[in-house]
């Protein structure tokens, strides 16, 4: 089993973000704007934001080995950066938010953010489980 | 105890066979020595007492301020050399780099669990916890799981 830490994390992140946006947008649209219909270009919005959001993962990259506190702080910065990016792009293309909608979008972004880290954590837990299973056998083989 | 030495042509055939009635601590010591091929690992404790360390007792090596320490379950020895030299020298004995400053003994590893953002926590058999950084996580995992 080959563990490709760096790139696989970005791929998992991209897929999880895109899925999260699709679900969140679908639910929000259905409840808040049931009268609105979208054109086919709308299909490209979740992967586009998925890609941009994955790139913000660079915020948590560091040559230094970060402590847990430093990592949590950087993750918080990443969330703020994503919020600014999403609102910034939407304002640039002319979208306007009511306060209620702005809060809903902010919460949506936060939920997707937590969801993505949960998916990545689950993936790493699976890797750790497979490793632990093999470790005992490996130790037996080595002590022979 | 009788000792026999028999010459072999192929270095791969070199081995030590211990025939004993029961495995005593002395036998374990001989075994540890043979496993490490007699590579001299000695270190000093706080009292500057130079002691011989069995490699298989070492849980991990840690570099702190240009010094390298060998940590066993109950003692910490300062040893000579650099961490990368330790890493290279004992790679075949189950030691692997898990972070910038730590080389851990996989034989003393109990399990790993995911930590934040691609890192893993190594739970050692003596209860200590070490961080496996993202940079070295793949090397640790591949050493045990293989490349396939």
């Amino acid at each position: 089993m080959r563990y490709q830490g760096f790139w696989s994390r970005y791929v998992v992140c991209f897929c999880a973000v895109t899925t999260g946006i699709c679900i969140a947008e679908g639910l929000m649209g259905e409840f808040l704007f049931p009268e609105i219909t979208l054109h086919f270009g709308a299909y490209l919005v979740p992967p586009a934001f998925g890609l941009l959001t994955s790139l913000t993962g660079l915020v948590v990259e560091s040559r230094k080995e970060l402590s847990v506190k430093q990592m949590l702080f950087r993750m918080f910065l990443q969330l703020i950066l994503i919020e600014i990016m999403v609102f910034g792009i939407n304002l640039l293309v002319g979208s306007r938010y009511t306060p209620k909608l702005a809060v809903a979008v902010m919460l949506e972004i936060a939920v997707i953010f937590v969801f993505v880290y949960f998916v990545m954590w689950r993936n790493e837990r699976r890797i750790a489980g497979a490793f632990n299973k093999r470790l005992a056998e490996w130790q037996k083989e080595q002590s022979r | 105890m009788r000792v026999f030495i028999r010459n072999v042509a192929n270095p791969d055939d070199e081995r030590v066979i211990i025939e004993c009635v029961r495995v005593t601590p002395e036998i374990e010591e001989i075994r540890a020595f043979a496993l490490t091929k007699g590579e001299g690992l000695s270190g000093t404790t706080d009292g500057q007492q130079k002691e011989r360390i069995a490699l298989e007792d070492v849980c991990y090596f840690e570099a702190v301020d240009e010094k390298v320490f060998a940590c066993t379950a109950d003692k910490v020895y300062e040893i000579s050399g650099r961490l990368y030299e330790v890493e290279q020298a004992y790679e075949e004995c189950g030691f692997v780099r898990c972070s910038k400053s730590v080389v851990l003994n996989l034989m003393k590893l109990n399990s790993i669990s995911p930590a934040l953002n691609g890192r893993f926590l190594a739970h050692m058999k003596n209860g200590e916890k070490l961080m496996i950084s993202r940079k070295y996580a793949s090397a640790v995992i591949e050493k045990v799981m293989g490349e396939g």
Side-chain angles (χ1 to χ4, degrees):
Chain A
M1 182 182 178
R2 192 164 167 78
Y3 173 66
Q4 296 163 327
F6 187 82
W7 292 111
S8 68
R9 284 183 60 77
Y10 278 87
V11 173
V12 170
C13 180
F14 170 75
C15 295
V17 172
T18 305
T19 309
I21 293 171
C22 286
I23 295 169
E25 290 289 303
L27 289 174
M28 270 185 77
E30 198 62 37
F31 287 113
L32 299 178
F33 313 102
E35 72 287 355
I36 292 180
T37 52
L38 299 171
H39 53 87
F40 282 111
Y43 281 113
L44 298 174
V45 174
F49 275 102
L51 184 67
L52 288 172
T53 307
S54 304
L55 293 177
T56 63
L58 292 170
V59 173
V60 292
E61 298 292 340
S62 174
R63 286 190 175 197
K64 285 195 294 177
E65 276 163 14
L66 302 174
S67 66
V68 173
K69 270 187 183 173
Q70 287 170 321
M71 186 61 83
L72 284 171
F73 178 69
R74 286 196 180 211
M75 284 165 71
F76 177 70
L77 281 184
Q78 187 189 8
L79 176 61
I80 299 293
L81 183 66
I82 295 168
E83 299 269 9
I84 292 170
M85 187 187 76
V86 172
F87 279 98
I89 291 172
N90 279 321
L91 286 175
L92 276 178
V93 297
S95 302
R96 293 291 174 265
Y97 292 98
T98 61
K100 198 176 166 185
L101 182 60
V103 171
V105 173
M106 276 171 70
L107 283 175
E108 179 198 320
I109 294 167
V111 168
I112 294 171
F113 184 81
V114 173
F115 167 74
V116 171
Y117 273 99
F118 176 73
V119 168
M120 291 200 286
W121 177 80
R122 288 273 305 182
N123 186 41
E124 282 153 15
R125 199 174 75 148
R126 182 186 56 79
I127 292 166
F131 177 91
N132 294 336
K133 212 171 165 187
R134 174 77 186 108
L135 180 66
E137 294 166 18
W138 185 88
Q139 286 172 338
K140 269 184 198 164
E141 286 166 16
Q142 296 299 308
S143 56
R144 262 180 222 147
Chain B
M1 187 180 281
R2 287 174 296 170
V3 177
F4 301 98
I5 297 177
R6 194 168 60 203
N7 286 325
V8 289
N10 188 349
D12 288 345
D13 291 337
E14 282 184 341
R15 71 186 65 187
V16 175
I17 297 170
I18 302 170
E19 292 178 328
C20 56
V21 178
R22 61 194 172 86
V23 180
T24 60
E26 286 80 8
I27 296 290
E28 280 290 357
E29 221 168 273
I30 296 168
R31 181 174 172 270
F33 186 80
L35 277 175
T36 57
K37 295 171 190 158
E39 283 172 54
L41 180 65
S42 58
T44 53
T45 52
D46 277 345
Q48 298 299 306
Q49 183 98 25
K50 198 152 193 162
E51 283 180 45
R52 185 162 186 84
I53 316 161
L55 192 57
E56 66 173 19
D57 288 343
V58 177
C59 295
Y60 60 92
F61 293 99
E62 185 170 23
V64 181
D65 297 334
E66 306 278 311
K67 290 176 182 169
V68 178
F69 298 91
C71 304
T72 64
D74 53 356
K75 277 184 178 175
V76 177
Y77 302 88
E78 186 182 337
I79 61 163
S80 58
R82 310 294 293 245
L83 195 65
Y84 75 89
E85 292 170 343
V86 167
E87 183 190 3
Q88 285 168 2
Y90 304 126
E91 196 184 352
E92 295 301 315
C93 305
F95 284 82
V96 65
R97 179 78 76 113
C98 71
S99 68
K100 223 172 188 174
S101 59
V102 176
V103 171
L104 73 79
N105 185 355
L106 286 168
M107 297 299 283
K108 295 283 183 188
L109 178 62
N110 194 31
S111 64
I112 64 168
S113 61
L116 267 180
N117 203 32
R119 302 183 303 175
F120 291 89
L121 208 56
H123 303 264
M124 305 304 286
K125 284 179 179 171
N126 66 350
E128 278 193 77
K129 289 174 187 171
L130 302 169
M131 190 60 81
I132 302 175
S133 72
R134 271 170 64 172
K135 187 177 174 186
Y136 298 101
S138 53
V140 174
I141 289 168
E142 280 164 24
K143 179 123 183 161
V144 171
M145 310 280 286
E147 296 272 342

